[in-house]
Amino acid sequence: MVAPSPLRVVRCGGSALRPARAVFSADNRFLLCAAGDFVKVHSVSTEETVRIMGGHADLVTGIQLNPRNHLQLYSSSLDGSIKLWDFMDGIPIKTFTVGSKLLALYTLPCAEDSVFVVIPKKGERDTFQLVSVKLTKGAGQDLEAKELSVVLDGVGASLKHIAFGREGEYVVSVKEVTLQVYFFKRKLLNRFSLRAVKTKGGDNQFSCVTCHPTEDCIATGHADGKIRLWRNFHLRKEYTYSTLHWHHDIVMDLAFSIEGTRLLSGGVESVLVQWHNESACQKDFLPRLGSPIESISVSPDGSLCCTLHTDNRITIINSNLRFSRSIQGLIKSRDIKTGLVVDPRTKALVLNGEPGHLQFYCLQSDQQLFSLDIVQRQFIHQAGLKQSDLVKVAFSAQGTWLATVEEREEVTDPELELKLWFYNEETQSFKLNTRINTPHDNHITDMCFRDMDELEDDSLILVTTGRDCVFKVWVMVEDTDPEAQQSVSWSCDFVGSYHNYQATNCCFSEDGSLLAVSFEETVTVWDSVTWDLKCTFCHPPGNIRNICFGRLTCSKYLIGATDYGFLCCWNLLTCALEWSAHLNIVVLQPDPLSEHIAAVSWLSKESSLFVFKPNEPRPIYIQRNLCKEKILLAAFVPRDEPETTASEKYLWLRRSQLFFLTDTQELMTLSTKSLEERLTPSSKQLAVEESLPVTPFSLLLGKHRRQQSQEDIDLGKLVVHNKHEQASPAVKELLHTPAHVLPSASFLCPIFINSLLISKENKSAEEVADEVEMESEKTEDDSDEERDVTEMEQEDTSHMELLGEMTCKLSKAQEKELRKIRKMDYSWISAF
């Protein structure tokens, strides 16, 4: 019996792309980037994630192509290891353990079997060194690389603070206001310093550095937006530099083109600037890239470049500075105020995206479906400026209506606006229906639709709660104005309150008959038809942080979590407390398709997960120390098809999958599957097809395969071919795995032989007659021997028929030779 796979926490989106620059493959077909603990391989042509390479135990801080094999990739991590990958197949070839945190990675064609990394200096805090690491040669996959030699002391911790010069003759390091240049052959170190603050208010702090590919020229970016071009730095007293200035704030990154005639720069303005021939007068711009540019990478042939942005967007740009493609994962917003909401139509996660926008994020492809502009105002990147932002979101049961709340960031007297959007089937997007200014006199704390499918069109209700101590009920009314563009609009139908307490949370029961509203320490239950107050719950003490109704067989229960560290379950039929638990619950999320409820607690810097049914005080599943970060939000997403689980412990994940967002805005999930299984089948197929080289032989082979496939269709044997191929995964694995990572032949031999064996099936009368005739002919020669091998021959015959090949009659000499071979002892194979 196969043991069930353990439930693992898997990062599935939102991991920062910023620690390392992206890398183009040699043929420009793939873009590789570091994302959290993983390395992602994107297709440049389709923008899809075709492969995820996991193996590091901590943040990946650098990726570089192997200079001696462009189909291999080096990656470094804070876990102290360097991995060598075959990124076309996603297979780790070698793992080199350095034993110290690796903060950046560099490779040089002239440095054989060595790479350069930035590590913390032992015994000193916030001090870093650039060292050369000798990559040990050995037969094993896990090796130790302890041979380190220090190149530079006192370097910056960022990847952008170090660059290597023309043909690897020198290395440049910038930190604060000091520039260091070390020449390898002469073993000469030159150091140049600038004034910390200029008299005109400029800031000379270095922010990034890059080197000209063919000339002795260094370009540095600075905190005040200036770019300096350094020359004659071989001599300490005769150096010169010129200045380029367009950016109004810090220069985030610089990159020279392959030929060195153009310099690219980017910063917080979200504009890519292209400087021609190091002239301040000749420059081009690509504006409105969406968010500040974090880093810039150029493809090996110079035809493409890409920019990584602070919101996890990758923009691919042509050499003529024209936008080509955008790879957008989960946008990192400044603050997730909307929570995690699931779109009923697309099953996408909906949350804050760009400032003032709502992002719809596809979990299967790890990409953004689209972005909806809610605020519809230009966002200005300026610190301290109060601007309107999206704070609340709610969908109706069928996803036909969307409610949003936006507010200006004012502590007192906030500017609020409630908007109702209707989904237009023709345009396949949401259209604004109603705009309500100042729906509450103070901040809106919660919002929900009456979640009833059968009442979607007849009596849809929206409830909002606010700090103005009231909750309001909004309903649709027919618009009597003949000049109105829409037939219905929304207006307030009821206003409720309870002892002048602030309303904090609200939710409807499964059948929509009851509305629960929390007022500080009290939970009130209202009839959703007459709006009469039915009952109240006010124990144990503490402000109510979260509330939700039970579902299906547990619909008579109401669950609440307080900020005093209590999880409470009330029975609505007896109006009494059913049970309570002492837990500091920060997230309370019910599964819409089952009775299960997920609760996440935070205690002693540790997040724990509890899954339970309201009718049972004992949890069904407990997971301590769920992740290193604090979990802020969670959501159950319905599956397209129920998942089969081998353990009863994981039945609560059968129909829905739980996703949660951490305080570092990384999206995680609980899964029993591997990372590769999370990719869509189309992405996997794309990865296989793109890995095939386009050569005359491959074109000829493809033509031959098409002809063979057509012949098989004509002969009516296509189904048998496909059946045989599906029944032999070991053969596929053997043929598609690179030779250098295959195990020994003795290990593969029994697996390969067993994969070729075909199970016996019912034979027709003609096949039985043929076998009897063949057996009688063989009896004349050697009856005893043939009696032992008759079954083998039958299997071989059926195997040949499955392959669609014609069996030919053997001569007596051939049969005699075949009998000699059969007499050989093959029992030694069983030992393997």
Side-chain angles (χ1 to χ4, degrees), residues 356-360 370-375 402 421 429-430:
H357 288 67
L358 200 61
Q359 64 170 319
F360 290 70
F370 63 93
S371 179
L372 182 63
D373 189 357
I374 301 297
V375 175
L402 168 66
W421 307 74
S429 63
F430 286 95

Side-chain angles (χ1 to χ4, degrees), residues 678-690:
R678 202 177 62 81
L679 288 177
T680 58
S682 60
S683 300
K684 294 181 180 179
Q685 182 64 27
L686 178 71
V688 173
E689 291 176 355
E690 289 199 351

Side-chain angles (χ1 to χ4, degrees), residues 769-780:
D770 292 340
E771 289 175 1
V772 172
E773 183 180 353
M774 184 185 301
E775 191 171 357
S776 63
E777 291 177 0
K778 293 174 181 176
T779 307
E780 297 176 0

Side-chain angles (χ1 to χ4, degrees), residues 33-62:
C33 63
D37 300 353
F38 311 110
V39 179
K40 290 186 177 181
V41 183
H42 299 279
S43 170
V44 173
S45 58
T46 65
E47 307 171 13
E48 283 191 285
T49 303
V50 297
R51 190 166 291 106
I52 300 176
M53 299 185 296
H56 285 293
D58 208 333
L59 193 69
V60 177
T61 55

Side-chain angles (χ1 to χ4, degrees), residues 367-384:
Q367 287 186 325
Q368 185 187 110
L369 293 179
F370 63 93
S371 179
L372 182 63
D373 189 357
I374 301 297
V375 175
Q376 298 178 347
R377 297 177 187 175
Q378 183 66 34
F379 183 81
I380 302 173
H381 292 276
Q382 182 175 339

Side-chain angles (χ1 to χ4, degrees), residues 440-636:
H440 285 260
D441 294 333
N442 207 332
H443 294 279
I444 293 179
T445 56
D446 202 3
M447 175 172 61
C448 67
F449 280 96
R450 184 160 66 175
D451 194 9
M452 298 178 63
D453 297 347
E454 63 272 14
L455 298 179
E456 178 72 24
D457 298 325
D458 298 334
S459 57
L460 195 62
I461 294 176
L462 174 69
V463 174
T464 58
T465 59
R467 293 181 185 173
D468 56 354
C469 304
V470 299
F471 72 90
K472 293 187 177 183
V473 179
W474 308 84
V475 298
M476 285 191 295
V477 294
E478 293 187 2
D479 204 326
T480 57
D481 188 359
E483 299 182 358
Q485 296 182 355
Q486 58 264 353
S487 58
V488 296
S489 60
W490 290 76
S491 66
C492 183
D493 182 64
F494 178 78
V495 179
S497 63
Y498 183 79
H499 292 296
N500 205 30
Y501 293 151
Q502 288 187 358
T504 53
N505 297 277
C506 63
C507 67
F508 279 97
S509 61
E510 186 178 12
D511 61 357
S513 61
L514 297 177
L515 170 69
V517 181
S518 63
F519 291 89
E520 297 182 9
E521 297 185 356
T522 306
V523 180
T524 59
V525 181
W526 306 72
D527 188 324
S528 66
V529 177
T530 62
W531 300 116
D532 293 333
L533 179 62
K534 292 295 183 182
C535 62
T536 61
F537 302 109
C538 57
H539 55 277
N543 289 332
I544 303 298
R545 184 180 287 170
N546 296 295
I547 56 172
C548 69
F549 280 95
R551 304 182 69 87
L552 302 177
T553 60
C554 300
S555 58
K556 65 179 180 179
Y557 297 103
L558 177 64
I559 310 298
T562 70
D563 56 6
Y564 271 53
F566 283 95
L567 178 65
C568 309
C569 177
W570 293 283
N571 191 318
L572 297 171
L573 299 182
T574 62
C575 295
L577 182 67
E578 189 81 5
W579 55 264
S580 65
H582 190 57
L583 292 170
N584 183 31
I585 301 298
V586 293
V587 176
L588 189 66
Q589 186 64 39
D591 181 7
L593 301 180
S594 71
E595 300 93 342
H596 300 104
I597 297 176
V600 179
S601 69
W602 175 254
L603 184 64
S604 301
K605 298 182 179 180
E606 177 182 302
S607 292
S608 300
L609 172 66
F610 300 88
V611 180
F612 64 94
K613 290 183 179 181
N615 60 351
E616 299 176 4
R618 186 183 299 274
I620 297 173
Y621 178 81
I622 300 176
Q623 175 68 54
R624 303 283 184 182
N625 195 15
L626 198 59
C627 63
K628 299 177 183 177
E629 300 85 7
K630 183 179 180 180
I631 296 174
L632 300 180
L633 303 166
F636 275 101

